[in-house]
């Protein structure tokens, strides 16, 4: 099997893997919106809906995936509404024909509304509860948010990518280097705890409160990482939103106000990492189909503008409460 290869993941293999856990698929397999992994929803013979998640080969080690599972199971045991993997025969992670996979209950819900202060208050409370539990121990195998992984390495990958149009090379890499340099100088890795890691609105389902899904990117890092992606709008709106989040968060966990200075560096890190991730995965047939605009010159022109805006944001005083 080559690196990151899903070519051998046939429908028959998926069904055989699921049935190896004594679950019989009664419906078809509905592919869900996931690109890093392969995720399928189905109805079993017990008339319950399940989700089967097949992990991208050689992305995470067995120990790293198991640590993700253990964290979500730990949170669920404290009545945190997180979708944890199903444990059968004392195992949550299974291996079938070289593919690691897990089964989850399928949950529904509507999307979390980032501009809804009532929902933000709920989110602040639950993330406070998550972090209160997260501080009780540390990850051993999961990585830590670092400038190397989110700025330095992605920059090198983009420099080697053939996807950036030659006509935009100078403009793109000039502003990219400025953003990387400034973010590098501003980011401080302190007080790292276990995190959801990718707590954006798409990973939150709302049904009489939030349900957290997809801890695939859980890692260690500053607490603010699980809060800043819920901010939207102008600076005044973000101030109100963060104030709402933090007030609710502190009902369950102390908040380090100095971490507000990390919001814009973390945003820059996410921007740079995302572009490099798409470039690195471009050989996966699913990516050109899902992101056809990535190879278009207009996309890179938009990124130049976005990076200029981010450079200006990095130069602004941090959000304060």
């Amino acid at each position: 099997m080559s690196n990151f290869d899903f070519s051998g993941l046939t429908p028959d293999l998926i069904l055989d893997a699921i049935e190896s856990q004594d679950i019989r698929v009664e419906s078809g397999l509905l592919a869900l919106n996931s690109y890093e992994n392969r995720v399928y929803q189905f109805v079993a013979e017990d008339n319950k809906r399940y989700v089967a998640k097949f992990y991208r080969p050689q992305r995470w080690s067995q120990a790293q995936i198991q640590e993700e599972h253990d964290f979500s199971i730990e949170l669920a045991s404290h009545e945190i509404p997180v979708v944890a993997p199903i444990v059968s025969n004392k195992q949550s992670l299974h291996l079938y024909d070289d593919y690691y996979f897990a089964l989850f209950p399928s949950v529904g819900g509507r999307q979390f509304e980032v501009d809804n202060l009532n929902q933000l208050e709920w989110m602040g409370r639950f993330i406070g509860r998550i972090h209160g539990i997260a501080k009780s121990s540390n990850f051993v195998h999961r990585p830590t948010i670092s400038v190397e992984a989110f700025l330095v390495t992605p920059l090198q990958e983009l420099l080697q990518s053939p996807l950036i149009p030659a006509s935009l090379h100078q403009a793109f890499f000039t502003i990219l280097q400025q953003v990387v340099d400034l973010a590098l100088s501003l980011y401080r890795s302190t007080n790292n705890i276990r995190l959801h890691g990718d707590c954006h609105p798409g990973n939150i389902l709302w049904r009489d409160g939030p349900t957290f899904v997809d801890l695939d990117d859980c890692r260690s890092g500053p607490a603010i990482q699980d809060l800043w992606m819920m901010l939207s709008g102008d600076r005044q709106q973000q101030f109100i939103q963060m104030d709402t989040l933090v007030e609710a968060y502190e009902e369950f966990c102390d908040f380090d106000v100095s971490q507000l200075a990390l919001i814009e560096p973390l945003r820059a890190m996410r921007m740079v990492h995302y572009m490099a991730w798409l470039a690195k995965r471009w050989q996966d047939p699913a990516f050109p189909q899902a992101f056809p605009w990535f190879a278009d010159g207009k996309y890179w022109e938009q990124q130049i503008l976005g990076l200029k805006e981010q450079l200006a944001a990095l130069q602004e005083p941090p959000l304060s409460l």
Side-chain angles (χ1 to χ4, degrees), residues 82-101:
V82 59
V83 180
I86 295 168
V87 177
S88 60
N89 298 319
K90 299 183 179 180
Q91 289 187 312
S92 60
L93 181 62
H94 315 290
L95 180 64
Y96 191 89
D97 201 11
D98 294 332
Y99 288 99
Y100 283 109
F101 74 100

Side-chain angles (χ1 to χ4, degrees), residues 23-315:
I23 292 180
R24 302 286 178 265
V25 178
E26 289 291 305
S27 67
L29 295 167
L30 175 65
L32 299 183
N33 190 22
S34 177
Y35 305 106
E36 193 65 328
N37 304 299
R38 295 294 183 264
V39 183
Y40 304 93
Q41 181 181 280
F42 63 93
V43 177
E45 61 185 357
D46 59 5
N47 289 321
K48 294 180 180 177
R49 286 190 307 160
Y50 295 88
V51 168
K53 176 179 179 179
F54 290 80
Y55 288 85
R56 182 174 290 273
Q58 302 178 49
R59 177 174 178 243
W60 297 124
S61 68
Q62 178 183 0
Q64 287 172 324
I65 300 172
Q66 189 62 59
E67 200 162 46
E68 170 211 331
H69 286 194
D70 292 345
F71 184 41
S72 59
I73 291 167
E74 179 186 1
L75 294 175
S77 74
H78 287 85
E79 299 184 341
I80 301 293
V82 59
V83 180
I86 295 168
V87 177
S88 60
N89 298 319
K90 299 183 179 180
Q91 289 187 312
S92 60
L93 181 62
H94 315 290
L95 180 64
Y96 191 89
D97 201 11
D98 294 332
Y99 288 99
Y100 283 109
F101 74 100
L103 297 169
F104 298 80
S106 177
V107 299
R110 60 187 188 277
Q111 189 163 336
F112 159 62
E113 300 168 12
V114 292
D115 56 351
N116 185 320
L117 293 182
N118 182 54
Q119 291 190 8
L120 277 176
E121 192 176 332
W122 276 72
M123 289 300 300
R125 272 194 223 102
F126 274 113
I127 294 172
R129 287 177 61 189
I130 288 172
H131 287 181
I133 296 161
K135 288 179 178 180
S136 65
S137 64
N138 299 314
F139 283 140
V140 175
H141 304 288
R142 302 294 297 190
T144 298
I145 292 173
S146 69
V147 292
E148 287 77 17
F150 283 81
L151 289 173
V152 177
T153 299
L155 173 60
Q156 294 306 311
E157 289 169 343
L158 287 168
L159 283 165
Q160 296 167 17
S161 174
L163 293 168
I164 297 98
S167 61
L168 297 175
H169 252 242
Q170 184 173 356
F172 175 74
F173 285 109
T174 298
I175 186 64
L176 178 61
Q177 187 70 61
Q178 290 176 318
V179 167
V180 168
D181 289 345
L182 188 50
L184 279 169
S185 72
L186 293 173
Y187 186 75
R188 297 287 180 272
S189 180
T190 57
N191 299 323
N192 290 331
I193 63 171
R194 293 183 294 170
L195 300 170
H196 180 290
D198 195 24
C199 199
H200 62 79
N203 279 338
I204 300 158
L205 296 175
W206 203 268
R207 185 181 56 182
D208 300 323
T211 298
F212 296 84
V213 300
D214 195 6
L215 271 74
D216 194 61
D217 284 301
C218 69
R219 60 186 70 219
S220 300
I224 194 69
Q225 170 67 11
D226 279 351
L227 294 167
W228 76 264
M229 277 182 269
M230 282 173 275
L231 303 181
S232 63
D234 60 27
R235 190 176 177 87
Q236 180 59 27
Q237 289 172 307
Q238 292 188 26
F239 167 80
I240 295 169
Q241 292 161 358
M242 183 55 73
D243 187 56
T244 301
L245 282 166
V246 169
E247 185 176 352
Y249 180 97
E250 289 197 306
E251 292 178 26
F252 297 94
C253 193
D254 290 336
F255 179 75
D256 180 358
V257 178
S258 71
Q259 290 191 6
L260 293 171
L262 301 180
I263 292 175
E264 295 308 329
L266 284 165
R267 194 189 309 275
M269 290 161 73
R270 186 173 177 82
M271 288 175 67
V272 177
H273 183 267
Y274 180 74
M275 288 186 285
W277 171 67
L278 287 175
K280 186 166 62 175
R281 292 286 187 262
W282 200 245
Q283 300 308 310
D284 183 327
F287 278 69
Q289 291 178 8
F291 310 101
W293 36 261
F294 186 70
D296 191 305
K298 290 181 180 178
Y299 169 80
W300 296 102
E301 290 173 358
Q302 291 168 353
Q303 295 314 295
I304 291 169
L305 292 175
L307 287 166
K308 287 180 178 178
E309 291 174 357
Q310 188 56 32
L311 183 64
L314 286 164
Q315 293 168 334

